[in-house]
Amino acid sequence: MARFGLPSLTSLLQGGSSGGPTAGPWQQPGASWSRPFGLAWEKPYTVRYASNLDDGPNHGMPLGGFGAGCIGRGPDGSFNLWHLDGGEHWFGTLPDCQFALFESDGSSSRAHALAVEPQADASRPAAGAPLPAWSWYPASSQGSDGNLHRTGTYTARYPLSATHYEGVFAASVSCEAFSPILPGDYRRTSYPVAVFVWTLHNPTDQPLTLSLMLSWRNTCGWFTNTDPSASVHFRDDGSPEHNYVPAIGRSRGQCNRQVGAAGLKGVLLEGERAEPLAEGQGQWCLAVPDSDDLAPGGVEVFRCSRWNPSGDGAELWTPFARDGSIPDSDNNRHSGDDDPASAALAVRCRLEPGETLELPVVIAWDLPVTSFASGTRALRRYTDVFGDQGDNATAIAAEALQDWRQWRTAIEAWQAPVLDRTDLPEPLRMALFNELYDLASGGSLWTAARPEDPVGRFGVLECLDYAWYESLDVRLYGSFALLQLWPELDKAVLRDFARAIPAADPTPRPIGWYFTQGKGRVEAPRKVSGATPHDLGAPNERPFDASNYTAYQDCNLWKDLASDFVLQVWRTFKLAPSGEDLRFLADCWPAAVKALRYLKGFDANNDGLPDNGGAPDQTFDDWPLKGVSAYCGALWIAALEAALAMGQRLQLELGVDTSSEQREFGAWLEQSRAHFDALLWNGEYYKIDAESGTPVVMADQLCGDFYARLLDLPPVVAEERARSSLQAVKEACFENFHGGQLGVANGLRRDGTPLDPNGTHPLEVWTGINFGLAAYYRLMGETATALAITGAVVEQVYTGGLQFRTPEAITASGTFRACHYLRAMAIWALWATHTGWQTIPGAGNQPAT
């Protein structure tokens, strides 16, 4: 059942073939999310905390490679997402960044920008008001009689999106947009490029003259933080944040010019350049093929290198609306202050009845530098191919125009195994693809290679509200996608954690949770040597090198992080499609040993099991646990089993002497197993902890058992007790929580009622936890329950306006928390358990040198 009076997700997914655009009747690609073009949302989810990010539901699929920066085009046709500064977020519509179409049949003509008219945004005045001279495309609407008047359809199956326009032009008009996101391809997946393949078809009995225009603002120099302070501030939810004030509207030194290259005509947008190149500096290129055989009658290409987007737009729109032309100029003067410059190109053609034109248009950008605190900086991964001077946007565009068909075929090939699994519901197959969006738009960093990091360093933010990289407790769930599709990047992340574990930073910091509890200022050191860090730092500091940015809790006290690290290392070693990598295992072994020994130090009563301390000290960081807990204890036992397996392999195959560590971990394991059930088993399920007396069924109580079984390690608990616990979770937290329509709540009484009606974490449905639980149910053979849980969560996300900003948590009151969340990619754990780790084509490729 859909919420908020919206169509069901099944109805939104009904469509035809999975192929690209054709000259025949348009069909929605299979297993894709869709939305009537520009249709207003009746009642989407809204943010739970006022200080958290909520840009509204007009989110479409991002375009651009991992770590290259990305742009996003919404279901209403607007370009509104600008993640071009590593780790930072800016959302707003630039009206002059847009496609438009002119059409004439000889007796009448029409022209529309191919987006719904943007609204002026007083909060973002630099973005500009809507251009009053332009004619905007009409939105789909719901009539008073309940009938839908559809003017088009937007669909997305990442990394492919498509927009089909209908009922306005006589021509059949559709556009497919993509970037070369290819599993196992560590080169092209990093490219800063978006390809738009327009299919224009004349279904009438009269010739049609069509002209497709692309206009774009020169934004060189915009996407850099003008307030790079690393100081920590606390929001109303107790989480730390930093200010991001990009240089939106900066224009000094910008210039645009026509550019030509083999097989390409375009316009190049440039800005001021420092030495060395600064963040946000570089180039944009808009390009089309330089070819006379694009259409049967040939095409004309017009290029306007400069026009003023701060006016009414008539200088560009008047000639375009008249005959499909634009001023053909090459004005390359440099801008001063408050002197914005946009450029445009247009392709005009004549189509006879029945003729079709397939026209690729490319937007490429070369902004090679990402800067951090104190002047530190990183080069993006794609610079290993195109250099670091910020002058190769044309070369990137030329490769895209040359190879886009090959890229499109490769995307079809890697998606085919998922599309073919008709035993999985179509909404699940859709979400498997679309949840990958976060690898591009989740504030991703992917640096250039260096000897110790042959594929570079990689990171995705926990989310935009909690803006720190690769939170280890979150990626325990959310990294399943990276592991299965780009395993070398997963190894790169874990190697950075291995480096961080022995490091120390005694700088004292206030802990946010105590503020929310009215307990005043409590401080803790940032990083204790041996403690497994929570995260790999934040984009406003020195990510990868300065860990533990978050200060909501004292992460040195967390009882799950060390286990999370060990389990992920063993998982990646055992299950990466590129095969077992003993060198990787050896690299991580010393850190694993140090991390487990540090965690054992919290075993207060020497029963082998680390004790939770009363303040929230695990991934449910607003939920106090006391004494041995089911969640942390099960992870600990699984991690000890994994560590023993690591030590055995290293000793047998590399000759590393791990005998003393094996004896040590074996003794702890024997103690832990002897006490876990005795302390926590209540006859039906495992108590949340041994000392608090909290009478709830914790949904994710046996995550450690799930990991142990997944990795063919000895299970943490007996099968009959695992099944009994899962049954209790199913009844209390899923079926008795709003009839299973929302997903699994984190923790409820056995009868499904809340312990505290005003509680935070226990009453939330965490998307990634739900996907992880679904994988556990599937692993235990309970496929129907697994699919029911997944289906409920996917339904809420994709009918509730949360697509391409999937949050950590949703609530029964229609609110969400922490959008663009990393943990949701745990949906790929369900793919793994359901298919027996079916390999995606290309995923096991070794990186090119």
Side-chain angles (χ1 to χ4, degrees):
M1 178 184 293
R3 285 170 54 79
F4 314 123
L6 295 171
S8 72
L9 184 57
T10 301
S11 70
L12 293 177
L13 288 168
Q14 289 173 350
S17 69
S18 61
T22 66
W26 184 81
Q27 290 184 303
Q28 178 179 321
S32 62
W33 177 79
S34 75
R35 180 79 184 166
F37 186 87
L39 181 67
W41 292 80
E42 183 180 342
K43 192 178 179 183
Y45 275 91
T46 55
V47 76
R48 182 173 188 177
Y49 296 107
S51 63
N52 278 198
L53 181 69
D54 187 0
D55 293 313
N58 189 32
H59 279 260
M61 188 198 81
L63 293 157
F66 298 173
C70 67
I71 56 178
R73 193 177 188 217
D76 67 347
S78 63
F79 287 92
N80 54 18
L81 183 77
W82 308 86
H83 284 185
L84 293 161
D85 181 352
E88 307 291 2
H89 170 76
W90 193 78
F91 188 89
T93 298
L94 303 180
D96 49 306
C97 290
Q98 193 47 254
F99 287 99
L101 186 69
F102 165 86
E103 175 186 82
S104 173
D105 61 6
S107 60
S108 63
S109 63
R110 60 203 58 83
H112 296 287
L114 295 175
V116 173
E117 182 174 3
Q119 302 301 308
D121 187 347
S123 68
R124 296 179 173 92
L131 301 164
W134 288 33
S135 174
W136 298 88
Y137 195 84
S140 301
S141 59
Q142 199 83 44
S144 58
D145 58 0
N147 291 326
L148 174 66
H149 174 62
R150 187 186 292 266
T151 61
T153 303
Y154 174 87
T155 71
R157 190 183 71 218
Y158 187 79
L160 302 166
S161 67
T163 307
H164 176 66
Y165 299 84
E166 60 187 81
V168 175
F169 295 101
S172 174
V173 180
S174 61
C175 174
E176 188 173 63
F178 61 90
S179 298
I181 307 301
L182 305 172
D185 189 329
Y186 298 88
R187 171 176 170 160
R188 293 166 186 84
T189 302
S190 74
Y191 281 8
V193 68
V195 179
F196 302 84
V197 181
W198 289 87
T199 299
L200 308 176
H201 172 67
N202 180 2
T204 75
D205 58 4
Q206 299 290 325
L208 291 176
T209 297
L210 299 170
S211 182
L212 179 72
M213 178 178 73
L214 171 61
S215 171
W216 206 255
R217 179 82 66 91
N218 190 327
T219 61
C220 292
W222 283 25
F223 296 103
T224 185
N225 197 358
T226 61
D227 182 14
S229 170
S231 62
V232 175
H233 311 280
F234 290 99
R235 285 187 286 246
D236 57 359
D237 64 357
S239 61
E241 66 173 345
H242 69 270
N243 293 331
Y244 180 59
V245 185
I248 304 299
R250 177 182 289 174
S251 62
R252 172 165 291 277
Q254 291 176 344
C255 66
N256 307 333
R257 57 188 171 90
Q258 294 186 10
V259 64
L264 173 152
K265 279 187 177 179
V267 286
L268 194 65
L269 290 65
E270 302 177 289
E272 284 189 320
R273 302 177 70 87
E275 185 59 45
L277 204 68
E279 182 178 63
Q281 295 181 342
Q283 297 178 331
W284 290 81
C285 183
L286 319 179
V288 295
D290 180 12
S291 175
D292 292 332
D293 60 0
L294 277 172
V299 299
E300 299 173 88
V301 178
F302 303 89
R303 290 177 289 175
C304 176
S305 69
R306 186 182 184 99
W307 67 278
N308 182 9
S310 65
D312 63 5
E315 65 177 295
L316 196 69
W317 195 258
T318 297
F320 182 73
R322 180 183 63 241
D323 60 14
S325 67
I326 59 175
D328 208 356
S329 65
D330 194 12
N331 178 354
N332 64 350
R333 77 170 179 85
H334 286 66
S335 294
D337 294 328
D338 301 317
D339 183 17
S342 289
L345 55 77
V347 177
R348 186 168 68 185
C349 66
R350 175 185 170 94
L351 292 184
E352 297 298 327
E355 288 183 339
T356 300
L357 171 65
E358 189 174 60
L359 173 63
V361 182
V362 168
I363 301 175
W365 55 97
D366 186 4
L367 307 171
V369 176
T370 298
S371 294
F372 311 120
S374 305
T376 59
R377 47 186 267 151
L379 294 174
R380 301 182 194 264
R381 166 66 174 176
Y382 77 86
T383 62
D384 289 336
V385 180
F386 291 102
D388 60 3
Q389 297 305 300
D391 56 4
N392 270 303
T394 302
I396 297 168
E399 184 172 333
L401 286 173
Q402 174 181 298
D403 292 346
W404 69 266
R405 286 186 178 86
Q406 175 187 328
W407 296 349
R408 180 63 176 79
T409 299
I411 291 171
E412 289 181 330
W414 82 255
Q415 291 193 335
V418 179
L419 294 172
D420 291 345
R421 289 300 297 245
T422 55
D423 55 325
L424 290 171
E426 191 169 20
L428 172 55
R429 284 177 279 149
M430 175 275 296
L432 280 166
F433 294 121
N434 283 333
E435 290 304 324
L436 296 175
Y437 82 95
D438 200 50
L439 293 171
S441 71
S444 310
L445 290 183
W446 189 3
T447 69
R450 57 182 190 171
E452 62 270 42
D453 295 295
V455 297
R457 306 174 91 176
F458 183 80
V460 175
L461 295 178
E462 178 175 334
C463 68
L464 296 174
D465 286 305
Y466 313 150
W468 37 86
Y469 283 101
E470 294 291 338
S471 299
L472 191 62
D473 57 314
V474 175
R475 79 179 316 272
L476 180 73
Y477 306 80
S479 60
F480 275 93
L482 203 64
L483 166 68
Q484 293 175 78
L485 303 175
W486 293 274
E488 298 305 314
L489 294 184
D490 191 54
K491 293 177 190 176
V493 174
L494 292 171
R495 281 191 170 102
D496 269 318
F497 273 103
R499 294 169 184 142
I501 285 170
D505 182 349
T507 306
R509 295 186 304 167
I511 303 304
W513 181 75
Y514 292 96
F515 285 110
T516 69
Q517 304 300 304
K519 297 182 178 180
R521 188 180 183 91
V522 175
E523 293 187 342
R526 176 162 180 161
K527 173 67 173 67
V528 175
S529 178
T532 303
H534 170 271
D535 56 75
L536 292 176
N540 64 311
E541 287 195 334
R542 292 178 293 112
F544 308 120
D545 296 320
S547 63
N548 270 0
Y549 181 83
T550 183
Y552 182 61
Q553 296 289 355
D554 179 3
C555 296
N556 300 294
L557 304 179
W558 277 31
K559 309 309 187 297
D560 54 350
L561 294 173
S563 302
D564 294 345
F565 173 71
V566 173
L567 286 170
Q568 288 177 65
V569 169
W570 184 244
R571 181 202 64 181
T572 297
F573 171 74
K574 288 292 293 181
L575 300 178
S578 50
E580 293 185 347
D581 182 348
L582 283 164
R583 186 69 264 158
F584 163 75
L585 199 64
D587 289 345
C588 296
W589 172 250
V593 171
K594 195 172 186 67
L596 290 174
R597 286 173 175 165
Y598 179 89
L599 181 53
K600 180 60 167 62
F602 293 101
D603 178 7
N605 53 7
N606 200 34
D607 61 3
L609 291 157
D611 293 278
N612 294 87
D617 53 5
Q618 25 67 45
T619 194
F620 301 94
D621 58 359
D622 208 24
W623 200 353
L625 303 179
K626 182 67 174 174
V628 174
S629 68
Y631 181 77
C632 296
L635 287 170
W636 165 254
I637 291 171
L640 289 176
E641 293 283 7
L644 285 170
M646 285 185 204
Q648 291 165 7
R649 290 295 298 273
L650 290 172
Q651 185 154 336
L652 287 172
E653 299 188 38
L654 289 184
V656 179
D657 184 3
T658 64
S659 54
S660 62
E661 289 89 349
Q662 290 187 60
R663 287 192 297 272
E664 183 179 24
F665 297 157
W668 296 349
L669 181 61
E670 185 177 357
Q671 275 187 297
S672 297
R673 286 191 174 278
H675 290 98
F676 184 79
D677 277 33
L679 289 169
L680 297 170
W681 178 247
N682 72 358
E684 185 186 10
Y685 57 88
Y686 287 88
K687 295 184 293 185
I688 188 171
D689 60 33
E691 297 181 21
S692 72
T694 304
V696 299
V697 180
M698 185 182 193
D700 205 24
Q701 58 188 263
L702 290 179
C703 181
D705 188 63
F706 163 65
Y707 251 88
R709 294 175 187 273
L710 182 75
L711 300 178
D712 289 327
L713 297 168
V716 173
V717 301
E719 182 170 342
E720 63 272 15
R721 292 189 175 184
R723 292 191 182 280
S724 178
S725 297
L726 287 173
Q727 182 66 23
V729 170
K730 176 184 175 182
E731 293 175 1
C733 302
F734 181 49
E735 294 174 339
N736 290 338
F737 182 69
H738 296 272
Q741 294 183 38
L742 301 182
V744 181
N746 281 328
L748 297 172
R749 295 180 187 268
R750 183 60 182 86
D751 63 359
T753 59
L755 180 66
D756 175 7
N758 298 315
T760 53
H761 288 187
L763 288 177
E764 290 181 329
V765 172
W766 285 15
T767 56
I769 295 291
N770 270 247
F771 295 148
L773 271 172
Y776 188 18
Y777 279 101
R778 177 62 189 87
L779 195 65
M780 300 298 288
E782 298 186 31
T783 301
T785 301
L787 296 181
I789 291 170
T790 307
V793 175
V794 169
E795 177 89 12
Q796 296 308 312
V797 170
Y798 287 90
T799 63
L802 297 173
Q803 74 288 337
F804 302 108
R805 56 175 189 144
T806 307
E808 162 79 315
I810 59 175
T811 72
S813 59
T815 64
F816 71 88
R817 179 174 59 81
C819 61
H820 299 259
Y821 207 77
L822 167 62
R823 195 176 340 233
M825 280 185 287
I827 197 168
W828 278 83
L830 187 60
W831 167 261
T833 55
H834 190 81
T835 65
W837 294 90
Q838 180 177 348
T839 301
I840 300 297
N845 292 349
Q846 294 297 322
T849 56

